[in-house]
Amino acid sequence: MNMMPRVAVVTGSHKGLGYAIARQLAQKEDIQVVLTSRKEQEGLAAQQRLSGESIPVDYHPLDVTSDISVQQFTTWLQQTYGRADILVNNAGINPTMQPEESSLLTVQMETMLATFATNVLAVARMTQALLPLMQAQHYGRIVNVSTEMASLMLMGSDDYPLAPSYRLSKVGLNGLTAILAKELQGTNILVNAYSPGWVKTDMGGSNAPFTVDEGAETAMYLATLPDDGAQGKFFAEMRKLGGVIALPW
Ligand SMILES: NC(=O)c1ccc[n+]([C@@H]2O[C@H](COP(=O)([O-])OP(=O)(O)OC[C@H]3O[C@@H](n4cnc5c(N)ncnc54)[C@H](OP(=O)(O)O)[C@@H]3O)[C@@H](O)[C@H]2O)c1
């Protein structure tokens, strides 16, 4: 029996939803969390805050849009733990508040590229980096933090801003999830996407109805799926819908 704790990497986890996911995962006895942030001081401060609650986590710098940073992180992870069991791709940006983001006709290509670089390409980069460590152990859980606003079924809904850069990037993230799931079929590496709901964070703002802990619930579920758990699905925020509900892509 393998007694080593599972190693969980959460991107962008010095604050917001990522912090809550890291905190909840770290409270599980058999999981060693690596809290990551591109801002070293804020990452170390987050680690200290958790340590103050007697929740130990490791910290390492990680900018998911940088090849060098991801390479350095992966080398460190390999040397320190020799494994990666859980990857939560949480880091994301959302330029929706910029006025030109209110229409596809005005959206700036530069903004769109930057949003795709963080919300889609960086997830591909992290996946390419950590998947070999998962494959070596025949175990992996990858959780991609998406949004219900990326559901193609909901593109015509009046409930959401048009937000083309953000929504299209998360459509891309969902597509990545589906392609990767196809490639991982028959392995014990499970990849799924989920929507945390509208959550109170710097991104979500103070009017959001959900706390970060509520938004982290589905991530916890997907990060700890059993071997026969879901593969390549897109899930809703559990609390809002009262259980594990798959969303239409
Ligand atoms: N809040 C909501 O209502 C909501 C709803 C649906 C989906 N989501 C998704 O949930 C995830 C977390 O968002 P949040 O609400 O917690 O927002 P947040 O408080 O703004 O947190 C975003 C996190 O991503 C990090 N990040 C951005 N670019 C990065 C990079 N290049 N490298 C490493 N980290 C990077 C940020 O770090 P810095 O401080 O360094 O920028 C921050 O830690 C995002 O993927 C978002 O799209 C949120």
Side-chain angles (χ1 to χ4, degrees):
M1 199 173 143
N2 187 356
M3 299 306 286
M4 291 276 288
R6 297 207 185 285
V7 173
V9 174
V10 186
T11 65
S13 48
H14 69 269
K15 67 170 185 173
L17 191 61
Y19 180 77
I21 295 170
R23 185 174 174 278
Q24 288 190 25
L25 283 172
Q27 285 173 286
K28 294 217 161 258
E29 236 173 52
D30 57 343
I31 296 179
Q32 167 66 54
V33 166
V34 181
L35 183 149
T36 67
S37 167
R38 59 181 164 175
K39 296 170 180 157
E40 183 147 20
Q41 241 182 324
E42 298 190 20
L44 289 169
Q47 182 191 30
Q48 281 268 274
R49 275 202 306 283
L50 289 174
S51 170
E53 287 187 69
S54 301
I55 303 174
V57 297
D58 209 343
Y59 163 75
H60 198 276
L62 176 63
D63 179 342
V64 293
T65 57
S66 158
D67 282 329
I68 292 173
S69 176
V70 172
Q71 274 162 22
Q72 287 173 343
F73 174 78
T74 307
T75 302
W76 170 84
L77 191 72
Q78 166 82 64
Q79 286 169 355
T80 309
Y81 294 104
R83 60 191 291 160
D85 302 279
I86 297 166
L87 168 62
V88 182
N89 288 305
N90 163 80
I93 59 170
N94 181 353
T96 304
M97 296 315 283
Q98 296 174 22
E100 62 274 16
E101 285 290 322
S102 63
S103 163
L104 189 60
L105 304 186
T106 53
V107 64
Q108 302 290 301
M109 293 303 127
E110 255 177 50
T111 308
M112 201 174 255
L113 278 170
T115 310
F116 269 71
T118 304
N119 295 359
V120 192
L121 304 187
V123 175
R125 182 181 291 107
M126 285 303 297
T127 304
Q128 287 182 352
L130 298 197
L131 205 62
L133 291 175
M134 293 179 174
Q135 285 168 326
Q137 305 205 97
H138 307 287
Y139 181 94
R141 302 291 180 260
I142 302 175
V143 183
N144 292 332
V145 184
S146 184
T147 167
E148 64 196 25
M149 288 167 70
S151 169
L152 292 176
M153 295 271 287
L154 297 175
M155 286 300 164
S157 165
D158 291 329
D159 293 343
Y160 308 104
L162 285 179
S165 290
Y166 184 65
R167 293 176 83 180
L168 284 173
S169 73
K170 295 291 189 181
V171 170
L173 176 64
N174 286 354
L176 180 157
T177 306
I179 289 172
L180 184 60
K182 168 73 181 158
E183 196 167 343
L184 294 174
Q185 237 174 12
T187 71
N188 191 18
I189 303 172
L190 305 176
V191 54
N192 292 283
Y194 91 103
S195 170
W198 184 17
V199 178
K200 275 186 195 43
T201 62
D202 286 349
M203 187 188 291
S206 55
N207 289 332
F210 294 119
T211 65
V212 284
D213 278 327
E214 289 167 341
E217 254 176 31
T218 312
M220 286 298 293
Y221 166 74
L222 295 174
T224 56
L225 281 173
D227 291 352
D228 60 351
Q231 174 69 290
K233 297 275 190 309
F234 178 30
F235 288 96
E237 190 279 318
M238 287 167 83
R239 188 164 295 231
K240 183 165 148 191
L241 298 175
V244 182
I245 311 266
L247 279 169
W249 289 110

